[in-house]
Amino acid sequence: MIQFSKSVNSLRTSEIRDLMGLATRPDIISFAGGMPGNELFPVEDIDEIYNSLPLDSKQTAFQYGPTPGYPPLLESLKEYLQKKGMAVKKNKLMITTGSLQAINILAKVFIDPEDVVVTENPCFIGGISAFKSYQAILHGIDLDENGINLELLKNFLRQSKSTPPKFIYLTPNFHNPAGTLYTEERKKDLVPVLQEHELLLVEDDAYGELYFDDEARKRVVPLKTLYENDLSICYTSTFSKILGPGFRLGWMLVPPEIYQKAELCKQSMDACSPNFTQVLANEFLRSGKMELYIQKMRLIYKRRKDTMAGAIRKYFPEEITWMEPKGGFYIWLKLPPKLDIMAVLKSSIEKGAVFVIGKTFDPEGKDNSHFRLAYSHTPEGKIEKGIQILGDCLKEELRLSK
Ligand SMILES: Cc1ncc(COP(=O)(O)O)c(C=O)c1O
């Protein structure tokens, strides 16, 4: 008999997978994937960059590279992070294969079976799976509109003094799936709580660049830049949302002693991240094209968000409540009691639109009182039609639930 490891057996299977299989019809309008639209990628710029590379750089691109990253990219990225106020000299930077690998490596570095990890509830599904794959016990703390609920966090930390959590994993900027942007005050109030309990913070900043206005821009400042001296912070981010997930490039900026262990882990995982895309990403950053591209993306995602928000107001029953995001990719919506979201998903897939149910993002895999819509992947022209389909399905299910 095949005997799988306990860690693999602890991974959750998803009952919506079969349904999602049906959602690959070419005509379906998808609000499911948390990814950029294909038509937005800077294909011509990258063509031009590759074609004008000298032969030895092209050869380097095909080769293995150093485990921590392609040195010129590490330098360009350090400059980029330093401009944002990151302490790049005090910390060490490592390029990873997507930021999911950075999160996975940090999980491997810290988690022994049965260790407790605190997350937000809801939480990015990739984080949940990574922590579970090392057999962590997850404790999700509810988010409110300003960030993680501090009273709940304090209570939990007080109760768990005998078995303190290994770390807390937070996404303060344009949370996936909740869209939340932490307020300055919430960040400030969080620090003494983490300090008191000497709790290490894994700060995931996958979406911080994608703010929609000036007020949001001022608020996306990472905790890593604000509270570096007060807290042990492992910061992760990615090129996936600002260049393309196909590059499979992310990074971590962490204290040196953590970096040493992380490098050992990465050596045994993939030896190095793709040199090919690191060479291209480096040229894109160096040429100044990255900043211009991100500026363009901010406008496009804002327009998509505005279109979706307008359509939700027009077509959704008013019992569905939600907050308008100030950046990022997602709108997170709360259902009235008793409404069966699985039934809505089924009928909306039949009629031509798909989204993700809330349970996917619950660390305990139970709470289905919300659902997530991503506007990032869908051109404006299709957003209104998809939301109208969903609105009809929601109204019908609401009628049945009364
Ligand atoms: C919050 C968050 N963190 C990390 C990631 C991982 O992205 P990648 O591995 O492509 O860098 C994602 C992707 O959806 C995300 O939403």
Side-chain angles (χ1 to χ4, degrees):
M1 199 175 83
I2 300 172
Q3 294 210 326
F4 293 109
S5 67
K6 286 194 188 114
S7 57
V8 159
N9 279 333
S10 72
L11 293 177
R12 186 169 10 119
T13 62
S14 163
E15 73 208 58
I16 62 164
R17 201 165 292 150
D18 292 347
L19 267 182
M20 287 301 187
L22 299 175
T24 51
R25 287 195 333 251
D27 60 323
I28 205 134
I29 299 172
S30 177
F31 302 128
M35 54 206 182
N38 288 11
E39 70 288 359
L40 302 178
F41 295 132
V43 174
E44 282 165 17
D45 284 337
I46 296 294
D47 272 349
E48 202 183 298
I49 284 174
Y50 184 75
N51 289 331
S52 54
L53 281 177
L55 179 65
D56 62 337
S57 299
K58 286 185 180 166
Q59 287 165 340
T60 302
F62 278 78
Q63 194 51 274
Y64 289 115
T67 302
Y70 172 58
L73 177 61
L74 283 169
E75 283 316 304
S76 322
L77 197 54
K78 272 184 205 162
E79 253 176 58
Y80 180 78
L81 293 174
Q82 200 156 21
K83 276 194 206 144
K84 293 180 181 301
M86 295 269 174
V88 291
K89 292 211 174 88
K90 219 166 97 184
N91 290 276
K92 298 268 281 178
L93 181 66
M94 185 186 295
I95 306 289
T96 53
T97 305
S99 60
L100 184 54
Q101 188 189 49
I103 295 165
N104 200 299
I105 290 174
L106 292 169
K108 194 176 173 71
V109 165
F110 291 110
I111 300 172
D112 286 315
E114 313 285 297
D115 276 347
V116 177
V117 169
V118 179
T119 71
E120 294 146 316
N121 188 10
C123 176
F124 165 49
I125 176 69
I128 296 177
S129 316
F131 306 146
K132 286 205 165 165
S133 75
Y134 297 100
Q135 295 178 265
I137 298 169
L138 301 190
H139 187 87
I141 303 277
D142 288 353
L143 273 174
D144 61 37
E145 70 271 26
N146 300 324
I148 193 163
N149 183 313
L150 286 184
E151 286 316 304
L152 293 176
L153 178 63
K154 282 188 220 166
N155 283 343
F156 177 71
L157 293 175
R158 252 182 246 126
Q159 281 161 22
S160 48
K161 278 219 160 105
S162 57
T163 48
K166 273 292 175 72
F167 60 83
I168 183 167
Y169 166 72
L170 301 176
T171 306
N173 297 328
F174 315 126
H175 188 273
N176 174 10
T180 319
L181 171 61
Y182 278 41
T183 56
E184 256 175 70
E185 202 182 348
R186 186 62 55 92
K187 287 191 210 167
K188 203 164 83 221
D189 294 345
L190 174 67
V191 174
V193 181
L194 302 187
Q195 256 182 321
E196 186 192 334
H197 296 271
E198 294 181 15
L199 191 54
L200 179 99
L201 167 64
V202 175
E203 181 179 25
D204 180 344
D205 193 17
Y207 299 93
E209 288 284 10
L210 300 174
Y211 46 82
F212 294 152
D213 58 33
D214 239 29
E215 190 240 322
R217 181 182 59 78
K218 287 182 195 140
R219 268 170 58 187
V220 293
V221 190
L223 283 146
K224 180 84 177 157
T225 66
L226 293 173
Y227 301 108
E228 174 76 5
N229 295 328
D230 307 317
L231 297 174
S232 246
I233 302 179
C234 296
Y235 176 85
T236 68
S237 188
T238 179
F239 284 112
S240 289
K241 319 292 174 177
I242 52 169
L243 177 52
F247 276 65
R248 296 318 295 133
L249 294 179
W251 62 88
M252 66 168 93
L253 186 73
V254 297
E257 60 275 33
I258 297 175
Y259 171 92
Q260 272 183 6
K261 299 286 187 207
E263 190 183 5
L264 290 174
C265 290
K266 184 165 167 64
Q267 274 167 9
S268 72
M269 283 178 175
D270 61 357
C272 63
S273 296
N275 235 19
F276 208 100
T277 52
Q278 291 189 72
V279 168
L280 298 175
N282 177 52
E283 296 297 328
F284 197 62
L285 256 180
R286 286 250 145 242
S287 66
K289 288 189 159 92
M290 177 75 91
E291 196 45 50
L292 296 173
Y293 179 69
I294 298 175
Q295 278 171 20
K296 212 164 86 187
M297 290 309 106
R298 286 182 195 122
L299 295 175
I300 293 175
Y301 292 133
K302 180 176 184 305
R303 276 207 302 270
R304 290 184 178 189
K305 183 272 294 175
D306 287 344
T307 305
M308 183 175 273
I312 290 175
R313 286 190 195 99
K314 192 161 154 196
Y315 296 111
F316 278 16
E318 58 187 23
E319 288 88 341
I320 310 271
T321 53
W322 54 287
M323 263 188 21
E324 199 153 338
K326 297 176 191 305
F329 281 5
Y330 310 106
I331 297 183
W332 182 237
L333 303 99
K334 184 165 171 44
L335 298 160
K338 291 198 273 182
L339 195 146
D340 179 1
I341 194 65
M342 279 302 280
V344 176
L345 179 61
K346 225 168 169 175
S347 61
S348 76
I349 289 176
E350 274 162 25
K351 295 192 172 107
V354 64
F355 60 92
V356 188
I357 57 169
K359 200 160 79 161
T360 314
F361 308 100
D362 175 6
E364 290 182 23
K366 290 183 190 149
D367 184 2
N368 231 354
S369 59
H370 290 75
F371 63 106
R372 186 192 81 175
L373 299 175
Y375 43 79
S376 53
H377 183 62
T378 313
E380 280 152 73
K382 285 188 175 173
I383 288 178
E384 171 143 351
K385 183 161 173 246
I387 293 294
Q388 187 172 11
I389 292 174
L390 245 171
D392 289 346
C393 298
L394 283 163
K395 280 180 196 152
E396 175 60 12
E397 206 43 49
L398 193 63
R399 192 181 61 75
L400 293 173
S401 74
K402 279 182 181 161

